Amino acid sequence: MGKSKLQRMLVGAALVLSMGAGALSVSASSEEQPEKTIRIYSNRTESHVAYQILQDIIGQYQEEVNPNFKAEFECEPNLDQYKNKLKLYIAGDELPDLFQIDRGPIAEELTSQGKLVNMDEQLEKAGLADSLDEGCRGYVQNDDGSLYIQPEARYGNTFFYWKDQFEAAGITETPATFTEFLDVCQKLKDNGSIPLGITGKASWNPLHIMYLPSWTVTGNDWLNQAKRGEVRFSEIPVVQDCAEFLNTLAQNEYFPAGFSNIEYTDIMNGFIEGQYAMVWCQSVYLGQFSDAYDEGKLGFFTIPVNDKEESYEQKATMAIQAGISWALNQEKFDEEMERFYQFLLTHYADTCYKYDTFPQFNVDPPADKSQIMKDYYEIMKQQTISWSNWDDNCDPVTGQLMDDLVKQLAAGMITPEDFLTQLDESAATNGADYFSVK
């Protein structure tokens, strides 16, 4: 990786926003406020709303409370590279003041070592303990129910599609089952469309597609056993469905040519330009989709039903996730950092909606928000379980192996059997050893 780029935060517009907690007083002069510079390590860059939301809140805090408060950002947009560098920071005991981390073994290990701030305590102090969305909490809490990382926001993932490409291919209804989804892909391909925009450069995108047939009918009940090697990935029917589903998409060439070398931002730009008929993405793009939605050009549909077995019961229709969550370094959590973080919590929901993003707190969209946001939220608030990434829940070795293997599976380089067998072998050795001492 190249050198880290430190970026001085810009001052955002001041907004006096609150979710019910007591407002912080505006400082009389900068001389009365402590000087504080924090270091932030983020997977997000200036183009991502999560970065913009945090930047805006820092600006509000500088304007309303402490003009001597500053923040330096180090950003690594590639998630795989971000995680690798975070591991180096952890190993070197160089954790930033504020950083992003997924739920899973590494976060739990930092928790057990007393290196993370208790987020339940912070929410209680802010008067928001009962406002955190149930699905978001499930996405980030530890196995024992404790909370030491904070959701970045509340994202809902669905498929978005261009209606004219569906109509041109003779598709009159969106797919209700995964069998129908594959039929839709074939009809689109036969009509000259690229069915599904996807990147192979970042493992999370093919992983998310692969998870769907399992996650919607089982939640993640099986994962705690599989990650410890107590049951085999290859013996779980819905996990087999997942690997076979991604493999079918790959073998039938429903992805863009050369997708393994296309960045996700280019995939999304390509979809917006109509290069792909469908894309799987999160609600962070609703603002960009709003005009096309109002004009009747663009639509979205929720997760199809896994119809491989009659016994499968659909447990969710939208994949709720919380992004890559925020964590606070306990060793650097002094009085001023806590004052800032309390300000952040109480201003977070309104600032999220300012950027057309759903907050992790149960707050309805303002009346002036777009129709697509309102329609999306009606489905989002019905979800009570959340997405969980398999790779992040596995031991670090197996998780990294899964990240590597899914790219090969999506590219048609290995079979579903190869994919599952290698996971089983790693979990039986590395997972069993790793979790036996936790």
Side-chain angles (χ1 to χ4, degrees):
M1 290 180 290
K3 285 187 176 180
S4 303
K5 183 180 179 181
L6 296 179
Q7 300 175 319
R8 186 71 64 179
M9 301 298 291
L10 302 176
V11 176
L15 293 173
V16 182
L17 305 171
S18 175
M19 285 180 55
L24 297 174
S25 60
V26 178
S27 100
S29 67
S30 61
E31 289 79 9
E32 297 176 3
Q33 296 299 329
E35 292 190 2
K36 177 77 174 179
T37 299
I38 66 170
R39 178 171 154 241
I40 300 174
Y41 181 45
S42 177
N43 173 239
R44 309 309 192 186
T45 62
E46 297 97 325
S47 62
H48 197 284
V49 292
Y51 180 103
Q52 296 163 9
I53 289 165
L54 181 58
Q55 184 186 63
D56 194 316
I57 293 175
I58 289 174
Q60 294 177 50
Y61 188 73
Q62 292 169 328
E63 182 75 18
E64 299 177 29
V65 181
N66 184 2
N68 298 327
F69 185 89
K70 300 179 178 64
E72 294 176 339
F73 258 36
E74 178 187 358
C75 301
E76 174 48 68
N78 183 287
L79 184 57
D80 295 336
Q81 293 179 11
Y82 176 88
K83 291 179 180 179
N84 289 336
K85 191 165 187 178
L86 179 60
K87 292 174 185 176
L88 293 177
Y89 281 141
I90 293 171
D93 198 23
E94 297 178 348
L95 278 176
D97 301 74
L98 180 64
F99 58 96
Q100 291 187 286
I101 188 171
D102 282 312
R103 174 188 184 272
I106 296 177
E108 294 216 10
E109 186 170 353
L110 290 174
T111 298
S112 67
Q113 295 172 353
K115 293 186 176 181
L116 302 183
V117 172
N118 187 312
M119 292 298 185
D120 273 326
E121 293 179 357
Q122 292 302 307
L123 288 171
E124 188 69 37
K125 288 183 180 180
L128 297 171
D130 297 328
S131 297
L132 184 62
D133 174 70
E134 181 181 358
C136 283
R137 184 183 179 97
Y139 187 84
V140 300
Q141 68 184 8
N142 290 329
D143 287 345
D144 64 3
S146 61
L147 191 68
Y148 282 82
I149 59 177
Q150 183 67 230
E152 175 186 84
R154 177 165 35 163
Y155 303 122
N157 287 54
T158 57
F159 289 100
F160 292 83
Y161 70 101
W162 290 112
K163 294 183 177 181
D164 61 345
Q165 295 194 44
F166 270 46
E167 292 169 0
I171 303 167
T172 58
E173 295 182 357
T174 55
T177 69
F178 282 105
T179 298
E180 292 178 5
F181 182 87
L182 294 174
D183 289 341
V184 163
C185 286
Q186 187 61 49
K187 289 179 180 178
L188 289 166
K189 181 183 176 183
D190 291 344
N191 196 54
S193 291
I194 299 173
L196 183 61
I198 185 175
T199 175
K201 291 205 73 173
S203 59
W204 69 264
N205 200 190
L207 278 172
H208 280 200
I209 298 296
M210 185 186 71
Y211 293 156
L212 286 174
S214 167
W215 179 76
T216 58
V217 298
T218 68
N220 303 293
D221 299 339
W222 59 272
L223 187 53
N224 281 337
Q225 291 179 292
K227 72 183 183 183
R228 292 178 168 85
E230 296 170 357
V231 298
R232 296 174 65 84
F233 286 92
S234 58
E235 295 174 349
I236 302 169
V238 290
V239 176
Q240 297 170 13
D241 296 343
C242 290
E244 291 169 1
F245 176 62
L246 184 62
N247 182 66
T248 299
L249 293 170
Q251 292 298 319
N252 287 287
E253 299 180 341
Y254 295 148
F255 303 150
F259 76 96
S260 295
N261 296 312
I262 305 176
E263 298 286 353
Y264 183 68
T265 53
D266 294 326
I267 289 293
M268 289 308 304
N269 289 334
F271 173 73
I272 291 171
E273 293 170 0
Q275 295 178 23
Y276 317 122
M278 296 183 292
V279 73
W280 167 262
C281 74
Q282 60 186 218
S283 50
V284 69
Y285 287 93
L286 294 183
Q288 296 180 54
F289 294 162
S290 178
D291 289 345
Y293 185 80
D294 290 344
E295 294 166 3
K297 297 177 180 178
L298 177 141
F300 69 88
F301 59 91
T302 55
I303 301 169
V305 172
N306 187 345
D307 52 339
K308 279 291 189 79
E309 293 186 18
E310 293 183 1
S311 61
Y312 289 162
E313 178 186 353
Q314 186 90 343
K315 293 188 176 182
T317 59
M318 180 183 286
I320 299 298
Q321 52 132 324
I324 179 167
S325 300
W326 292 106
L328 291 159
N329 185 342
Q330 179 66 62
E331 294 181 358
K332 297 186 177 182
F333 196 63
D334 58 16
E335 182 178 352
E336 178 58 18
M337 187 62 185
E338 182 171 29
R339 184 168 70 147
F340 163 70
Y341 194 68
Q342 285 290 302
F343 182 95
L344 179 147
L345 288 175
T346 56
H347 289 68
Y348 209 84
D350 288 323
T351 309
C352 276
Y353 277 128
K354 177 180 175 182
Y355 291 91
D356 291 329
T357 300
F358 299 105
Q360 66 272 51
F361 303 109
N362 288 318
V363 179
D364 290 345
D368 62 351
K369 290 291 105 176
S370 65
Q371 190 60 49
I372 193 172
M373 283 199 74
K374 294 175 182 176
D375 292 348
Y376 214 77
Y377 188 73
E378 287 303 309
I379 300 173
M380 176 180 283
K381 68 183 183 181
Q382 297 170 15
Q383 313 301 315
T384 59
I385 63 173
S386 62
W387 184 283
S388 186
N389 295 308
W390 301 359
D391 56 328
D392 292 324
N393 280 269
C394 289
D395 68 90
V397 174
T398 304
Q400 183 61 57
L401 176 65
M402 191 181 299
D403 291 347
D404 296 336
L405 290 177
V406 77
K407 296 178 183 179
Q408 298 176 42
L409 181 61
M413 298 168 60
I414 60 174
T415 66
E417 292 76 17
D418 294 333
F419 176 79
L420 296 175
T421 297
Q422 291 189 56
L423 289 183
D424 284 333
E425 292 173 350
S426 180
T429 301
N430 301 301
D433 289 344
Y434 186 87
F435 291 105
S436 67
V437 298
K438 297 302 170 188

